[in-house]
Amino acid sequence: MIFRIAWRNIWRNKIRSLVILLSVAIGLFAGIAVLALYKGMMNSRVRTVIYSETGHIQLHHKTFKNDYEARFVISNPEKLLQELRKNESVKQVATRTITQGMLATTTGSAGVQINGIDPAMENKVSGLLQKIRVGSGFEPGKKNQVLIGKKLADKMKLKPSSKLVLTFTDADGNIISAAFRVAAIYQSENTPMDERNVYVQQTELNPILNLGNGIHEIALILKQDTATHTVAKQLQQKYPDLLVEPWQNLSPETELMIDTVDITSYIIIGIILFALAFGIVNTMLMAILERTQEIGVMMALGMNRIRLFLLVFLETIFLTLIGTPIGLGIAWIVTSYYHRNGLNLESMGKEMMSNFGFSTLVYPEFPTEKLLGIMGIVLFTALASCIYPALKALRLRPIEALRK
């Protein structure tokens, strides 16, 4: 009986109830939209880290990353590469020779990381050749070619065919300088990385470093993203003399960003629904004041305080629960559309987003895994919103209420 009364009560003033329903729906839609956008941005960032920067897993000599000394190479690289390629979890493998040095031109100098790569292997792991914006990349027959990032090229006023000098330390500790020509200018979604990384051919860098066939880094792309930690653990056990790191260790700022965004998402939902709660409180309070005499009659006829509280609570819950699926439905439709077509955020500032390693084209994803938490917040909001109106009703005395 009390459910029926509560249901009828919310439709007494249809306009007011519809306003609350729409408020709940719009508030929930706004919260879900923010979560979907954040999720899309984070997933995009993770894909960029894995498929454009670090790979799923990297292997190094145990002490190489302490000071990036050229002499700390991975031993027996040919045998190791054969074993990694046979691993059923590994999809692609790329080797890199790495040294820290200085890039100098007639306009100035800059500290850079010099990466010696096999262009074919590197392209399969990081898609480097697809990032080229000016120039044609490494050309067969030409020596001492270098790929540089657009940010660095702009800073140093370089263009294809420009000459530069790279200075670094070889495996014996000798300072070496070598002249290179810009083969192409690339641009990725991470401007800071573009500014500090240059790429040369491994077959040219290794002799200069006096390394022979030595390599410093092996980057792996796995067949499944979810297998990263499992495969990294297996490889670390199999190769205890190497440093095996998953992308979460290689890009800790991305992992921290994901954790921070998860917490922030719930805070934003809470703020939106907290603001919405004031509208619900106002509506329910108006409903109580308009029905003062009616409430007095019900109390005079024997309705106890528990039932009266339950009546107000049910009215609030009905208003909230009707608006919730509407908001979720709208959010799902809009999110699905942009998930298929993408949301271009270039107007927010392409350079600003690339400075943090984000693409301007985001594919929002409906936060299914957060629905339980969202529903908990919604129900808590409904419960909190009904407390004050319910207390107002409970304070009414039947005789005084009947006089109004």
Side-chain angles (χ1 to χ4, degrees):
M1 177 64 72
I2 198 164
F3 283 87
R4 187 180 301 175
I5 295 173
W7 178 257
R8 289 178 176 176
N9 283 342
I10 66 173
W11 298 115
R12 285 185 172 185
N13 191 323
K14 293 183 176 62
I15 299 297
R16 187 168 60 200
S17 295
L18 287 173
V19 168
I20 290 298
L21 294 181
L22 288 175
S23 298
V24 172
I26 293 172
L28 195 55
F29 164 73
I32 294 290
V34 171
L35 296 186
L37 180 62
Y38 279 172
K39 184 178 179 181
M41 291 178 67
M42 290 302 104
N43 287 346
S44 175
R45 175 60 188 148
V46 169
R47 285 192 294 270
T48 298
V49 169
I50 293 174
Y51 296 102
S52 183
E53 297 175 10
T54 67
H56 285 99
I57 298 172
Q58 287 185 3
L59 291 80
H60 302 91
H61 184 282
K62 279 277 188 183
T63 56
F64 171 70
K65 295 185 73 176
N66 292 342
D67 296 302
Y68 285 85
E69 293 185 39
R71 60 193 176 95
F72 293 121
V73 296
I74 296 175
S75 58
N76 299 320
E78 295 86 356
K79 180 182 177 182
L80 178 57
L81 287 172
Q82 288 179 358
E83 292 176 353
L84 290 173
R85 289 190 175 104
K86 290 179 182 178
N87 190 313
E88 59 183 13
S89 299
V90 176
K91 184 178 180 180
Q92 299 291 347
V93 180
T95 63
R96 296 164 184 156
T97 303
I98 299 173
T99 186
Q100 307 286 342
M102 292 292 294
L103 180 152
T105 68
T106 55
T107 59
S109 61
V112 294
Q113 176 171 297
I114 305 161
N115 302 277
I117 61 170
D118 179 309
M121 285 197 296
E122 184 67 29
N123 191 53
K124 292 178 180 178
V125 170
S126 67
L128 178 61
L129 300 184
Q130 277 74 47
K131 300 174 189 174
I132 292 177
R133 299 293 176 264
V134 182
S136 56
F138 296 112
E139 296 182 21
K142 290 188 176 182
K143 294 184 178 180
N144 287 17
Q145 301 175 87
V146 61
L147 303 183
I148 65 172
K150 185 178 183 302
K151 181 75 172 180
L152 182 60
D154 293 341
K155 177 181 177 182
M156 305 301 294
K157 297 180 174 59
L158 294 170
K159 58 184 179 179
S161 298
S162 294
K163 188 176 180 180
L164 56 85
V165 176
L166 295 176
T167 303
F168 44 86
T169 305
D170 67 10
D172 300 319
N174 301 312
I175 297 177
I176 304 294
S177 293
F180 288 81
R181 287 193 180 275
V182 177
I185 297 172
Y186 72 90
Q187 183 178 22
S188 72
E189 294 170 350
N190 192 331
T191 298
M193 285 195 67
D194 293 352
E195 190 174 3
R196 66 174 181 266
N197 280 277
V198 300
Y199 297 88
V200 300
Q201 297 192 72
Q202 195 174 93
T203 53
E204 294 179 343
L205 182 62
N206 277 28
I208 301 174
L209 288 173
N210 197 23
L211 291 180
N213 64 347
I215 56 174
H216 296 122
E217 180 174 287
I218 298 177
L220 305 179
I221 293 292
L222 305 182
K223 295 177 180 177
Q224 295 182 341
D225 294 344
T226 54
T228 302
H229 283 291
T230 302
V231 175
K233 186 176 180 180
Q234 292 172 350
L235 292 177
Q236 187 65 80
Q237 292 174 348
K238 188 174 182 179
Y239 306 109
D241 294 333
L242 296 177
L243 176 64
V244 181
E245 296 178 290
W247 68 263
Q248 290 90 341
N249 291 10
L250 298 166
S251 183
E253 71 281 0
T254 301
E255 183 74 359
L256 177 62
M257 200 179 299
I258 292 171
D259 295 338
T260 303
V261 165
D262 281 341
I263 298 172
T264 305
S265 299
Y266 285 115
I267 293 175
I268 291 174
I269 283 282
I271 292 172
I272 292 173
L273 293 179
F274 177 74
L276 179 62
F278 286 97
I280 298 175
V281 169
N282 182 60
T283 300
M284 294 308 301
L285 191 58
M286 289 176 62
I288 295 297
L289 294 176
E290 288 178 357
R291 289 154 41 202
T292 300
Q293 289 185 336
E294 179 184 326
I295 292 173
V297 171
M298 289 190 293
M299 295 177 69
L301 292 176
M303 175 176 278
N304 58 39
R305 295 180 180 273
I306 295 177
R307 285 181 174 272
L308 182 58
F309 180 88
L310 183 60
L311 178 65
V312 178
F313 173 71
L314 288 174
E315 291 178 21
T316 308
I317 288 293
F318 284 153
L319 285 170
T320 306
L321 292 185
I322 295 171
T324 297
I326 296 174
L328 291 177
I330 296 173
W332 183 82
I333 292 171
V334 174
T335 301
S336 298
Y337 172 80
Y338 283 109
H339 181 65
R340 290 192 303 270
N341 300 285
L343 179 63
N344 195 335
L345 300 179
E346 192 168 342
S347 59
M348 294 179 61
K350 183 176 182 179
E351 185 174 352
M352 180 194 72
M353 295 192 69
S354 63
N355 283 334
F356 292 94
F358 287 98
S359 170
T360 54
L361 186 62
V362 179
Y363 295 86
E365 296 186 32
F366 192 79
T368 307
E369 73 284 355
K370 290 185 172 67
L371 280 184
L372 189 60
I374 293 171
M375 293 304 298
I377 296 174
V378 169
L379 291 175
F380 175 79
T381 301
L383 177 61
S385 300
C386 78
I387 290 176
Y388 180 71
L391 291 176
K392 186 73 173 177
L394 293 177
R395 291 195 186 100
L396 294 174
R397 295 182 180 181
I399 296 177
E400 295 177 356
L402 288 172
R403 290 174 180 173
K404 295 182 180 181

